[in-house]
Amino acid sequence: MDPEKLKAKAVEKGVITQEEAEAMSHGQALRLIFAPGFSTAEKVSDVSGRGVGMDVVRSNIEKLKGVIELESAVGKGSTVKIKIPLTLAILPTLHCKVGSERYGIPLASVKETVRMPCSEVQTIRGKSVVKLREEILPLAFLREVLDVESAPLPELCVVVLQVGAQRLGCVVDDTIGQEEVVIKPLDAIKHICPTPFFSGAAILGNGTITLIVDVSELMRLVHAGGGPQEDISIDNRQLTIDNSKDVFMALLVEDGGAEQYALPIKPIKKIENIPASEIEIVGGRKVVRNDGNVLPVVHLYDITNFPPSKPESDVYLVIMGEDAERTGLVVNGLRGIKPIDRREAEDCFSSGGIAFSMVLGGRVTLVIADGTVFQRSRDYLNSQRASSAMEAALVSQKRGRILVADDSAVARESIRKFLLESGFDVVLAVDGKDALQKLSGIDLVVTDLEMPEMNGYELTRAIKKEHPGLPIIMVTTRDGEEDRLEGLKAGVDDYQAKLDGLKLVHSVQRHIKR
């Protein structure tokens, strides 16, 4: 497809103006084929020329929470990629707070969450944007989109979303956590109250209702009028800072003290928010399990020798490097991305891990020397003790054998997926009696409460009678005090909400270590 011909036809049919056509990028021009009423056919027939084909295709794919991507080169051909979720019954979501309301965002569209000062927000062509790791990210403030009252916040909580090639920062008051929910359609109320920014609703375990944000509609709102994200990338060139030997971009981090630290951004691959309890000691060295691998990590205070003012339950893991050289830096907080000018450096705080210091935004900023994080990890990885310990850690990831007993096929598969992704072997049982026949070689049992013939309490008593040391975790939507007491009396080791896969995995890891 020729982008110039597409733009000319769109102007001719009144789909866009001449000024909009001139400002369009290659990708935007290709996406014109999805516009309602657009067609390149010279004559209207029963099968072509009405401009409803690709528009209908895209609309139906998005109704299924899918994505359609388009690539084309003149004289070579075109590629259309369609991605459809495997199941629509249970949807993993990130729950966020906006004012007094709670909303869910499909995890499939969430790339990461970041926090940054409000001062990082800039305005380009009337749109709010931030610079995230040298890329311009357009913002959508959910409180404004949904018209929800919300008090001003000291910093931005940005959920970075991606649909196809488009990215968007969704600003919320705070993130609550991840949860798998069963989606209920809103078709019955759409004729009474239009719901353009919601794809459905979910009833949580405590009975409250959470609306699920339609990410595609949110993207369309933000990019309407000014075109998709490529428009903003034009201004990105104007904002690019001279990355010479004197000036470079750095991620600002902190450990809770008065000073902050700057980490060169070039080697950083991604940032994750993790529970501090996930950091383990293997062979005398700190590691975390990440994407199926054991990742060596160092704390910020291991480099600076300045201990944090107080420990945090959740920390940020800054992952750096490529493949075998990959390592992680653990910090308590993120402060955004800023340019660092070496010419403004002072050396009064320089040490083995600190290259120089400077005052940035009114705060003392200590710049971490290039390669320091890698060197700390490399010294350990080159030792024979470390190599053996890491190999042992990788092997141990597959040694946990978990028995999952649940009469619901959907719930069994959901729990199985979470456990497999965390490195455990999983055995499935369709009810309590079936579970009793499959206990050989099992390290831990995850059981539902309400099952036919033999419920979770009865199964727990039967297992504890023959295997008193075998850990048992009960998962259920019933979380009343009486239910928990009954479970404890039966011998249950832990009690978890049925759809919170993340907390379940953490509980399994904790009880297997015992």
Side-chain angles (χ1 to χ4, degrees):
M1 291 182 287
D2 189 333
E4 296 303 320
K5 291 183 179 179
L6 292 176
K7 289 191 287 186
K9 199 69 174 180
V11 172
E12 177 187 329
K13 289 183 171 290
V15 176
I16 58 174
T17 65
Q18 184 61 43
E19 290 74 17
E20 289 173 330
E22 292 173 356
M24 276 189 168
S25 66
H26 177 85
Q28 288 175 282
L30 292 179
R31 283 194 288 274
L32 283 171
I33 69 170
F34 298 118
F38 178 77
S39 174
T40 57
E42 296 297 333
K43 296 181 179 180
V44 178
S45 68
D46 292 338
V47 295
S48 66
R50 293 173 296 159
V52 296
M54 295 302 290
D55 174 40
V56 172
V57 170
R58 184 184 67 171
S59 298
N60 282 281
I61 289 174
E62 290 180 351
K63 285 180 182 179
L64 296 174
K65 309 307 166 205
V67 175
I68 182 168
E69 299 176 4
L70 180 64
E71 298 174 3
S72 183
V74 178
K76 294 184 178 180
S78 302
T79 301
V80 179
K81 297 180 182 178
I82 299 176
K83 301 177 182 178
I84 302 293
L86 293 177
T87 175
L88 302 176
I90 292 183
L91 181 69
T93 55
L94 174 68
H95 288 250
C96 304
K97 180 181 178 183
V98 181
S100 60
E101 305 293 334
R102 175 172 176 161
Y103 300 96
I105 300 176
L107 268 179
S109 300
V110 177
K111 305 306 292 181
E112 62 179 314
T113 61
V114 295
R115 293 181 182 272
M116 59 182 64
C118 296
S119 58
E120 293 289 309
V121 179
Q122 302 180 48
T123 301
I124 300 177
R125 295 186 182 179
K127 297 181 182 291
S128 295
V129 301
V130 292
K131 197 163 190 178
L132 181 63
R133 290 190 289 280
E134 298 190 307
E135 289 186 8
I136 296 300
L137 183 71
L139 296 181
F141 289 81
L142 208 54
R143 66 174 183 266
E144 297 176 1
V145 174
L146 304 179
D147 195 20
V148 176
E149 291 187 4
S150 176
L153 299 174
E155 64 177 3
L156 296 178
C157 179
V158 183
V159 181
V160 181
L161 307 175
Q162 183 164 351
V163 176
Q166 292 185 329
R167 285 164 62 89
L168 172 69
C170 180
V171 181
V172 299
D173 290 4
D174 202 0
T175 54
I176 299 173
Q178 299 178 16
E179 186 170 339
E180 288 193 334
V181 296
V182 178
I183 300 298
K184 305 290 184 180
L186 298 174
D187 296 341
I189 67 170
K190 282 188 174 181
H191 68 285
I192 302 173
C193 177
T195 55
F197 301 113
F198 300 115
S199 58
I203 302 175
L204 305 183
N206 59 7
T208 60
I209 296 176
T210 292
L211 292 170
I212 307 302
V213 175
D214 189 327
V215 176
S216 296
E217 284 296 328
L218 197 60
M219 292 272 191
R220 189 171 292 114
L221 170 73
V222 173
H223 297 313
Q229 188 173 342
E230 289 89 343
D231 266 359
I232 293 178
S233 65
I234 296 173
D235 290 73
N236 191 14
R237 294 193 295 270
Q238 300 170 7
L239 295 177
T240 300
I241 296 171
D242 179 21
N243 196 15
S244 65
K245 62 181 180 180
D246 291 324
V247 181
F248 61 93
M249 298 301 296
L251 173 69
L252 301 185
V253 300
E254 62 181 7
D255 256 2
E259 65 282 334
Q260 63 184 358
Y261 303 88
L263 186 68
I265 204 169
K266 189 175 181 180
I268 296 176
K269 298 304 175 186
K270 64 177 178 176
I271 302 172
E272 296 182 2
N273 185 226
I274 66 170
S277 58
E278 287 192 0
I279 301 172
E280 307 174 48
I281 305 296
V282 177
R285 184 68 172 85
K286 300 170 186 176
V287 299
V288 297
R289 301 183 183 192
N290 181 268
D291 294 338
N293 299 307
V294 175
L295 180 73
V297 301
V298 295
H299 277 84
L300 181 59
Y301 58 76
D302 293 331
I303 297 173
T304 65
N305 295 321
F306 299 138
S309 57
K310 63 183 181 68
E312 299 285 348
S313 58
D314 289 333
V315 294
Y316 290 95
L317 177 63
V318 182
I319 301 176
M320 310 164 66
E322 300 284 353
D323 301 329
E325 290 289 323
R326 184 160 290 198
T327 189
L329 176 67
V330 179
V331 300
N332 279 355
L334 305 178
R335 300 295 299 174
I337 298 173
K338 292 286 186 181
I340 300 296
D341 193 337
R342 299 178 192 270
R343 293 166 293 190
E344 299 176 4
E346 302 173 4
D347 59 4
C348 53
F349 285 101
S350 61
S351 66
I354 304 299
F356 56 86
S357 61
M358 61 189 303
V359 177
L360 192 62
R363 294 185 66 180
V364 174
T365 303
L366 309 180
V367 181
I368 298 175
D370 292 343
T372 298
V373 178
F374 293 106
Q375 189 59 49
R376 293 295 173 100
S377 294
R378 195 176 296 117
D379 291 344
Y380 171 76
L381 290 172
N382 286 339
S383 68
Q384 184 174 359
R385 178 189 179 195
S387 179
S388 300
M390 295 293 278
E391 289 177 6
L394 284 168
V395 172
S396 70
Q397 281 186 297
K398 296 297 182 182
R399 287 183 177 172
R401 189 172 176 82
I402 314 299
L403 174 62
V404 177
D406 198 309
D407 62 312
S408 166
V410 173
R412 281 198 310 271
E413 185 58 31
S414 175
I415 295 172
R416 173 181 172 274
K417 182 185 73 171
F418 270 106
L419 294 174
L420 285 176
E421 289 176 351
S422 299
F424 298 105
D425 291 329
V426 181
V427 177
L428 300 179
V430 297
D431 55 36
K433 288 188 176 180
D434 186 29
L436 288 178
Q437 307 301 317
K438 298 179 177 179
L439 291 174
S440 177
I442 296 299
D443 298 305
L444 183 144
V445 176
V446 175
T447 178
D448 184 24
L449 171 55
E450 300 172 295
M451 294 184 292
E453 298 189 29
M454 177 180 281
N455 64 31
Y457 297 143
E458 295 168 335
L459 174 61
T460 298
R461 294 188 187 100
I463 292 175
K464 290 293 185 178
K465 184 176 180 180
E466 299 295 330
H467 308 276
L470 184 61
I472 299 177
I473 299 174
M474 185 167 288
V475 292
T476 179
T477 55
R478 289 166 51 180
D479 58 354
E481 192 65 28
E482 293 182 2
D483 298 314
R484 290 179 177 272
L485 289 174
E486 184 67 24
L488 292 173
K489 289 178 183 178
V492 171
D493 293 273
D494 197 9
Y495 208 97
Q496 292 290 335
K498 194 163 191 175
L499 295 178
D500 198 331
L502 192 61
K503 287 186 178 179
L504 174 61
V505 169
H506 291 163
S507 179
V508 170
Q509 292 171 335
R510 185 170 67 252
H511 284 86
I512 279 189
K513 288 178 187 177
R514 295 178 181 176

